[in-house]
Amino acid sequence: MSGEKANESFGTGGFHGARSCQILTAFEEGKAMRSRAHFKINCRAAALGFALAATAAVAHHSANMFDLTRTVEVKGTVKEFHWTNPHSWVVIDSLDAAGKTVAWSFEGNGPGYLVRNGWKRESLKPGDKVTITANPMRDGSAGGNLVNVVLPDGRQLSARVGGPPAAGAAPYAAPPNTAEGSSQPAGAKP
Amino acid sequence: MKLCALPSLAAALAVGMLPLTTSSFAQGIPAPPAALQKTPGIVPSGRKSDPPAFDLTGVWWVTQPEGAAGFKPDPPLKPAAKAVVDEVARLRASGLNARDKTGNCAPAGMPLIMTRVYPIQIFQTPKLITIIYEYHNAVRWIWMDGRDHPKGEDLIPTYYGHSVGWWEGGALMVDTVGMLTEPDIQPGVPHTENLHILERISLTADGFVTQLTLTDPSIFERPWVTQKTYQKSDAEIAEYVCLQDNNHFTTDDKGILRRVETGSK
């Protein structure tokens, strides 16, 4: 898995702070993955000992890959339910607009977290017909950050994150339904 | 022989030794050397402390009035550090997971751990306050026994630093040094090994607030004062072992979610 290799540290030296580092140039050129050696040399030359904590191919559960400002709704059949830390995962098969089956992967918090919202180990079983609301992947790929699940019997399970609501925060509200029978969420890329 | 060897092995492993002969079992397991029973570098601070003003024992949940995963107001950055912050902000806005390895199970460290929206459990005793963070099941030890930070090379750089505390004017003061330079304070906000965090913790109507003063002269123009608030919670903290199932999904170098076949489960 190249992502893990890419995530290795170059060390934890101090930041000596006088000049900016070539890491920025590397990223601007979109070559972060390919130019790590280049980065290392340049950074050392610039007397910046930052560890590289920045690659795209890491952090399967970074919220940064999701567009938290939008939600999509996907209907489908549960294929897998991972009841695990650091995150639970729901994989469903859903028909796209062309009638082709697409596997969508949704990330939620781990079991210790979701049980506070009423989730249980067998809340989702393979074969269950569900409707999932999620914050979509920014890149439009078939996945998202789990927000809410409507179970076959109509009950809903929230994957809301957080303990006490933030001061002034709007209460959680389920997003409006999309067209019945459509598995292609509004605004999502094909 | 077999019956004797198994408990002997287990007991010996418990003290980090491996029995080479049956005679070691017959002679019993020696206690660890005296040097291993004492942590070097513990020095008294000479600082006076008021009596404890309150008891933080219990479960608390950080509130996020400033939004997720950060500290507000923004830090008073020197130009070089600001250039890093601005660039990382730009990269993150484009969806790249710039300068944040916690998603790959790296420890959050101090003070980034305080931005994670999970409960914490505090155990307060007269000489030691222990905080367990559900996120990564991280632990901080705040020494209340009058010790100072270890000096010179006795101070071991760690993710959560070395914390000492005392009571002053109705508040719990906590002083932390010795934090590893990775991870960032928050993604993109760098620090050096000179980062120093002074916390002033006081009670609120439904919880407590910790005011943080961060100093790091080569990063900040002046001390950065920020805060986190916590509410009392009825939650119980849960296990969170990040490596349990960290390999089933990943994102590729274009940020596209991929399933990873690991052969397990």
Side-chain angles (χ1 to χ4, degrees), chain A residues 107-163:
Chain A
E107 176 194 280
N109 267 299
Y113 212 112
L114 289 182
V115 292
R116 299 179 182 122
N117 289 347
W119 289 67
K120 296 183 188 305
R121 182 176 175 174
E122 297 197 2
S123 288
L124 294 174
K125 293 179 287 297
D128 285 354
K129 308 284 188 195
V130 295
T131 302
I132 288 181
T133 303
N135 305 121
M137 295 286 290
R138 288 173 187 268
D139 62 18
S141 58
N145 177 49
L146 198 59
V147 172
N148 189 61
V149 179
V150 182
L151 300 173
D153 63 6
R155 285 184 302 129
Q156 299 200 23
L157 288 173
S158 167
R160 188 182 77 85
V161 172

Side-chain angles (χ1 to χ4, degrees), chain B residues 128-140:
Chain B
L128 175 63
I129 296 175
T130 305
I131 305 177
I132 299 176
Y133 296 81
E134 179 172 301
Y135 185 74
H136 287 194
N137 287 167
V139 180
R140 285 180 73 199

